[in-house]
Amino acid sequence: MRQFDLAPLYRSTVGFDRLFSALDQFASTETAPSYPPYNIERTGENAYRITVAVAGFTDEDLSIEVRENALTLRGERKGEAEKRAEFLHQGIAARAFERRFQLADHVQVTGAVLENGLLHVDLVREVPEAKKPRRIEIASGRRPAAPVIEGQVSEGDRRAA
C-alpha cells in the first residue's frame, strides 16, 4: 500500500486536526476488524441505524458508550466458565469484541434495542439553530425615503410650524 506524508498539510492548515488524524488512521489501518459484522443504514433525512450481529450475546453482555464523537460497542460473554461444553464444531463466534464508529458533529444516539441476535443502535443528527444556514437580506444602496405620516393638521399647528 502506498504511504502518504500529510505533515506539510498540518503546517499549512488550522482547525483540521481531526480530519488529518482520521486520514492518518485510515491510511495506517492495513486490515480492518471484521467481527462482528454490521450494517449502517439511513432511516430518514437525519436519522441513521447501526445494526450489529451479536448472536449469542445478551443485553448484560453488551455495553454502548458515547464519548466525544466516538461510539464504542463492546461485547463480552459473562458466565462462560459455567456453561463450558465439549464442542464438536463451534461456528458461532463467542469471542469478546470492541467496535468503534466515528460520529459526525451533532449526531446523537437516541436508543438501542437487542432483537433476534441483532443490536440496533438508532442515531439522529440534530443541528442547532445557531449552526443552521440562514438567509441575510441585502439592502439596496439607496436611502429609504423619509416616512410619511398621515393625519390631519389643524390651522393652529400649521401656524406654529
Side-chain angles (χ1 to χ4, degrees), residues 65-144:
E65 180 180 291
V66 178
R67 181 175 296 168
E68 295 173 4
N69 284 1
L71 169 66
T72 304
L73 306 176
R74 287 187 189 89
E76 184 175 2
R77 292 179 93 181
K78 298 178 176 98
E80 275 296 304
E82 308 103 35
K83 297 180 185 178
R84 284 280 181 215
E86 184 178 338
F87 288 103
L88 300 177
H89 171 75
Q90 185 174 7
I92 299 173
R95 63 183 184 255
F97 69 88
E98 180 174 301
R99 174 71 77 172
R100 293 178 192 256
F101 298 92
Q102 283 300 121
L103 302 178
D105 291 335
H106 313 297
V107 173
Q108 304 294 322
V109 176
T110 59
V113 63
L114 181 63
E115 178 179 60
N116 299 327
L118 298 174
L119 176 64
H120 302 287
V121 180
D122 293 317
L123 309 160
V124 66
R125 181 177 53 207
E126 295 176 347
V127 180
E129 286 295 322
K131 299 282 184 177
K132 289 183 181 177
R134 56 189 173 102
R135 185 173 175 87
I136 307 297
E137 295 296 325
I138 301 172
S140 64
R142 295 178 282 151
R143 289 188 171 203

